Amino acid sequence: MAVALSLPSLPFRARRHRPLLVPQRASRQRLRSALIEVRPVPAAKTKGGGSAGRGQYAMELAVETQAPATASAAPLSIIPTDRTDDMQAEVRALARAANATVYSPQILAAKYASQPLKVLLRMMEIVTASGTFALKLAVDQRRGQLDQRKRQRAVELTKTLTRLGPTFVKIGQGLSTRPDICPPEYLEELSELQDALPTFPNEEAFACIERELGMPLDSLYSAISAEPIAAASLGQVYKAQLKCSGQVVAIKVQRPGIEEAIGLDFYLLRGLGFLINKYVDFISTNVVVLIDEFAKRVYQELNYVQEGQNAQRFKKLYADKKEVLVPDIYWDYTSAKVLTMDWVNGVKLSEQEAIEKQGLKMLDLVNVGVQCSLRQLLEYGFFHADPHPGNLLATPEGKLAFIDFGMMSETPEEARSAIICHVVHMVNRDYDAMAQDYYALNFLTCDVDVSPIVPALRNFFDDALNSTVSELNFKTIVDGLGNVLYQYPFNVPAYYVLILRSLTVLEGLALYADPNFKVLAASYPYFAKRLLTDPNPYLRDALIDLLFKDGRFRWNRLENLLVQGRKDKDFTTKEALQPVLKLLLGHDGEELRVLLVKEAVCVTEAIVLGTMIDAYKSIPDFMKGLINNGNTSGPFKLNDGEQARMLELRDRVLRIWNLLRSSDDFDPSLLQPILQVLEEPEARNLGVTSISSGRRFTWSHLGGGGGSMHREGTKVSVSMKINWFAVLRGQ
């Protein structure tokens, strides 16, 4: 839910407060709030000479009736000045939220099993509302008026979802970010569900604040906005100034009766899930488990102290990037139903025109969101599961602000590595490896044979990958994997559903700015960087499997990973391949060392012979005749295909070397493990070598008497000694 919009900070609109709740009954009457007058005044000075808190200005609250100085509850703490004070304030907030409701299917079942009439009425309400809307669409289609009435139907759908309550508002919020699913008219109207829902009365909101924090409003704030700034599915937001410090804050207040509303809906959805599990054969995933996971996250959103802790953890993990802004939480002004955080000035990420008027680029902000989401999903695993436009703001400074932390989830550590490998395997069309990834992702149990899955993956992705990676969008991948999931005994973990939700919402945001934007193209450099640099044993082994196949090194794969990885701004060449290079000298690296020596022979041969071929082609024709000595086929007994493969290998290796050398942070000494292996006795005298064609060759001589590179059956009569230190240093 949004807690910030582009609104002027001053002045707040004047209003009358309701009677404030204070311990003394007589004081309640005397403290009836009067007209608020807000005017800027200098912020209070601290003993150290600085302004109190972090505010740059303060406000005054003028009242018509003077409040007694003694009419106040226990004073609240000043803004914490160190971590200890902050932790103590958080403990007090946790105490206020001790009785917060948690999701329990058993409690809901016991509660509503004894209220069949209430359940039936709610079910009829949902069926009637959704059925009426579906009938109108059917009539429009039959009359050929579907396009003409899009706007009208979009307004009706928004009102229907709003009327059905918070659970259905959440569904509408998801649809509002999918331009590939909904027409523009629907997107525009459904976007109102993000932060422009009907509000509930101020009196109820202010009573909730006083009840939760245990103090009258006048003791808490110097001023507060006359009306809510934003309203979403679970609560509404006010802008205020703290009385003790002058800090401008956003106050989120929970809707009354919200627990009852969503509890009944989840009870009904869970019953529907049982029916789907029992009677719908083509859905192999346990739908009830998915509903329980979603319900658990929504109930966590109802505990604002939990949301504050989520924000604090999120800031610690991800706000180290200067492009990302996460507001601070004020624990002494926070409880289970009231959340207070820094006010953030900004505009919703979907408002492209307003963003560009500030001189910002929408796509730059979207890319920040994509990169931050990748870090969330794949580095620490703690991710924002509801990044719709109302929760993401573009600040005037060009930062991307995250302002709602109610729905968060975590990716298991083993799944993070598996997701990285899965994407890389997909891009490189390693379908056998893709199928194996489903074990690590917990999609399949170890007793399931994945061999029948490989053809299904190949059939879909061969077509999808005929274009480049830049042409793939996330929806294409999800649809393709979805078709495979339906055909085989997959069990999709609950966290994966929230990952899909998060990424599809981000892609939907990107499509607002650029209909051709592809999340995979924007994120693949991150995947390549992680695979090249991460010391995680799972990723290290996956990199080795990707680069080596059937005893040969796949240089094209390494080149592609380096080209893509360099596009990630956090990529450093000095870290590339280090996990694999360290393994070379380890106890478990013997097989890798053998492969390295064999590949070094092939590369040396390609460089030497490639250089000779180029030199021969560059000399005048009359000299070629002297060298050939009447041999019409030339000095190289290699056919055109063999020469082309040799030159291709040489050129690719040199391109990779140049990629490494062109980086400012590259140090040749980082390749020391390779040098150590190649300088060992068994690698110094290379002896009989094999090239990619499987034939054996020798260079007899090249000179005035004529010479040739020729086959001697399957033997080679030459051995080479290479100064590997000179080769790798480019000397």
Side-chain angles (χ1 to χ4, degrees):
M1 175 176 58
V3 297
L5 297 173
S6 290
L7 296 173
S9 298
L10 290 170
F12 291 103
R13 284 166 43 184
R15 61 171 293 279
R16 284 188 180 272
H17 283 292
R18 60 180 296 283
L20 296 174
L21 304 179
V22 293
Q24 295 86 354
R25 179 174 299 178
S27 297
R28 288 198 189 105
Q29 301 300 322
R30 293 194 298 270
L31 267 177
R32 181 176 298 276
S33 292
L35 188 67
I36 291 181
E37 178 185 357
V38 180
R39 56 182 180 272
V41 297
K45 297 290 184 180
T46 63
K47 292 182 180 180
S51 298
R54 288 161 290 179
Q56 297 179 353
Y57 64 89
M59 298 180 183
E60 287 183 341
L61 177 64
V63 294
E64 293 171 355
T65 51
Q66 184 67 34
T70 58
S72 175
L76 294 173
S77 301
I78 302 300
I79 295 176
T81 56
D82 55 36
R83 181 57 184 157
T84 302
D85 290 343
D86 197 32
M87 291 176 64
Q88 292 174 349
E90 184 178 350
V91 169
R92 291 191 291 270
L94 285 169
R96 287 191 288 272
N99 296 322
T101 304
V102 295
Y103 176 67
S104 171
Q106 294 76 22
I107 292 177
L108 291 180
K111 178 179 180 179
Y112 292 111
S114 61
Q115 303 179 49
L117 181 59
K118 187 173 186 177
V119 172
L120 180 61
L121 290 175
R122 178 58 174 168
M123 188 185 304
M124 291 178 61
E125 181 184 8
I126 295 171
V127 171
T128 301
S130 56
T132 301
F133 182 75
L135 181 61
K136 289 179 179 179
L137 289 180
V139 172
D140 289 345
Q141 186 172 21
R142 186 176 182 84
R143 294 177 176 176
Q145 298 177 333
L146 206 57
D147 290 336
Q148 297 93 313
R149 296 195 173 183
K150 277 183 182 177
R151 176 69 62 181
Q152 178 184 346
R153 298 305 179 215
V155 172
E156 291 176 358
L157 177 60
T158 303
K159 291 181 178 179
T160 298
L161 295 175
T162 302
R163 192 164 53 249
L164 287 176
T167 308
F168 293 87
V169 167
K170 288 287 184 185
I171 296 173
Q173 288 175 347
L175 291 174
S176 71
T177 60
R178 297 306 302 174
D180 51 342
I181 297 176
C182 297
E185 294 84 355
Y186 281 81
L187 295 176
E188 185 176 340
E189 295 299 329
L190 290 172
S191 65
E192 296 293 313
L193 298 176
Q194 294 163 7
D195 55 16
L197 289 170
T199 62
F200 58 91
N202 289 336
E203 286 73 15
E204 295 185 32
F206 295 145
C208 178
I209 294 173
E210 294 175 339
R211 183 171 60 252
E212 289 290 311
L213 301 184
M215 291 190 69
L217 222 61
D218 287 352
S219 298
L220 297 170
Y221 312 113
S222 301
I224 190 167
S225 56
E227 300 295 335
I229 301 301
S233 55
L234 304 184
Q236 60 193 34
V237 177
Y238 295 86
K239 184 177 183 181
Q241 185 177 40
L242 299 181
K243 190 168 186 177
C244 70
S245 67
Q247 180 67 27
V248 179
V249 295
I251 310 167
K252 183 161 72 169
V253 186
Q254 194 171 112
R255 287 182 179 273
I258 189 75
E259 296 174 1
E260 178 69 21
I262 65 172
L264 180 53
D265 285 344
F266 280 121
Y267 174 75
L268 292 172
L269 288 173
R270 207 165 187 273
L272 179 62
F274 278 115
L275 294 176
I276 292 174
N277 285 345
K278 186 174 182 179
Y279 297 109
V280 182
D281 295 332
F282 65 87
I283 298 180
S284 57
T285 300
N286 190 328
V287 178
V288 173
V289 171
L290 297 182
I291 293 172
D292 284 344
E293 178 69 16
F294 182 63
K296 179 182 176 182
R297 302 300 173 187
V298 173
Y299 267 79
Q300 285 180 354
E301 285 192 77
L302 298 181
N303 184 349
Y304 287 172
V305 172
Q306 176 66 55
E307 181 174 345
Q309 291 179 316
N310 290 342
Q312 192 167 263
R313 181 181 176 190
F314 191 92
K315 182 167 186 171
K316 180 180 179 181
L317 293 177
Y318 309 118
D320 57 325
K321 300 298 180 183
K322 63 180 181 180
E323 303 92 350
V324 175
L325 174 65
V326 179
D328 285 326
I329 303 298
Y330 294 83
W331 291 112
D332 271 329
Y333 300 86
T334 295
S335 71
K337 297 183 178 182
V338 177
L339 176 64
T340 304
M341 63 174 66
D342 276 330
W343 178 267
V344 178
N345 285 310
V347 295
K348 291 191 296 184
L349 204 58
S350 58
E351 297 178 1
Q352 185 172 359
E353 184 177 348
I355 289 174
E356 292 177 349
K357 282 183 179 179
Q358 297 185 32
L360 306 176
K361 293 182 179 180
M362 175 80 167
L363 277 181
D364 289 346
L365 292 162
V366 169
N367 272 312
V368 171
V370 170
Q371 298 304 316
C372 185
S373 292
L374 290 173
R375 292 187 68 204
Q376 294 172 47
L377 293 171
L378 303 174
E379 284 188 26
Y380 299 104
F382 183 65
F383 67 94
H384 200 298
D386 192 24
H388 66 71
N391 293 338
L392 299 172
L393 299 178
T395 71
E397 299 79 22
K399 294 185 178 183
L400 181 66
F402 290 79
I403 57 172
D404 188 296
F405 304 91
M407 185 172 287
M408 310 294 289
S409 188
E410 297 198 49
T411 312
E413 184 175 0
E414 60 276 10
R416 298 174 218 162
S417 300
I419 291 171
I420 294 172
C421 294
H422 195 65
V423 171
V424 175
H425 291 152
M426 179 194 69
V427 171
N428 289 281
R429 307 188 189 212
D430 283 354
Y431 301 121
D432 291 303
M434 278 185 72
Q436 294 293 325
D437 291 334
Y438 293 127
Y439 293 131
L441 287 167
N442 289 324
F443 281 22
L444 296 171
T445 56
C446 295
D447 58 335
V448 176
D449 180 18
V450 296
S451 56
I453 300 173
V454 175
L457 293 172
R458 181 176 291 109
N459 290 338
F460 172 76
F461 284 107
D462 271 348
D463 290 336
L465 294 169
N466 278 339
S467 52
T468 63
V469 173
S470 61
E471 296 300 319
L472 272 178
N473 61 31
F474 188 71
K475 185 175 184 297
T476 300
I477 299 171
V478 172
D479 289 345
L481 288 176
N483 292 333
V484 176
L485 296 181
Y486 288 141
Q487 298 175 38
Y488 298 96
F490 283 89
N491 183 33
V492 180
Y495 74 85
Y496 189 72
V497 175
L498 292 175
I499 290 177
L500 294 183
R501 170 185 167 84
S502 177
L503 291 179
T504 51
V505 167
L506 272 175
E507 186 171 65
L509 283 172
L511 292 175
Y512 276 113
D514 181 3
N516 297 316
F517 186 89
K518 302 295 184 292
V519 166
L520 184 59
S523 59
Y524 189 65
Y526 174 88
F527 288 97
K529 178 203 73 173
R530 286 289 302 276
L531 196 63
L532 284 169
T533 61
D534 200 304
N536 182 289
Y538 185 92
L539 291 178
R540 181 200 63 199
D541 293 343
L543 177 60
I544 293 173
D545 291 341
L546 182 71
L547 297 179
F548 287 94
K549 185 175 183 180
D550 299 329
R552 293 305 311 273
F553 191 86
R554 297 189 281 190
W555 292 95
N556 60 320
R557 299 288 174 85
L558 177 57
E559 182 182 14
N560 179 57
L561 286 174
L562 285 171
V563 169
Q564 294 294 329
R566 280 164 57 94
K567 296 177 182 178
D568 189 286
K569 64 180 181 179
D570 294 327
F571 177 81
T572 57
T573 307
K574 65 181 181 181
E575 295 179 359
L577 298 175
Q578 287 306 302
V580 176
L581 295 179
K582 290 178 181 177
L583 180 64
L584 271 176
L585 302 180
H587 179 72
D588 299 329
E590 182 177 354
E591 183 178 354
L592 187 60
R593 289 193 289 271
V594 172
L595 292 173
L596 174 65
V597 172
K598 290 181 178 179
E599 197 60 35
V601 174
C602 296
V603 171
T604 303
E605 193 172 48
I607 292 174
V608 173
L609 294 181
T611 303
M612 290 179 175
I613 292 171
D614 285 346
Y616 175 75
K617 291 179 178 179
S618 66
I619 63 176
D621 290 341
F622 77 91
M623 292 187 64
K624 290 180 181 177
L626 294 175
I627 295 174
N628 292 339
N629 197 21
N631 187 347
T632 57
S633 59
F636 305 105
K637 299 302 181 181
L638 296 168
N639 61 43
D640 292 341
E642 290 170 335
Q643 289 192 36
R645 285 193 294 272
M646 196 76 70
L647 292 173
E648 181 184 3
L649 175 59
R650 188 271 312 266
D651 293 342
R652 192 179 296 277
V653 171
L654 292 178
R655 285 198 301 271
I656 290 172
W657 178 240
N658 288 330
L659 281 172
L660 294 172
R661 294 182 64 186
S662 63
S663 300
D664 295 335
D665 60 352
F666 178 65
D667 181 0
S669 65
L670 295 171
L671 300 179
Q672 185 70 25
I674 295 179
L675 302 177
Q676 289 181 242
V677 171
L678 296 178
E679 288 293 309
E680 291 178 357
E682 59 269 27
R684 296 177 67 87
N685 295 318
L686 301 180
V688 179
T689 63
S690 298
I691 64 171
S692 57
S693 64
R695 295 169 180 162
R696 311 281 180 162
F697 298 90
T698 180
W699 176 257
S700 56
H701 67 280
L702 181 62
S708 64
M709 169 66 79
H710 62 89
R711 289 190 293 270
E712 292 185 347
T714 59
K715 301 290 185 180
V716 165
S717 58
V718 68
S719 67
M720 295 179 286
K721 296 192 67 155
I722 303 295
N723 186 340
W724 292 105
F725 286 91
V727 170
L728 288 175
R729 288 184 172 87
Q731 298 174 354

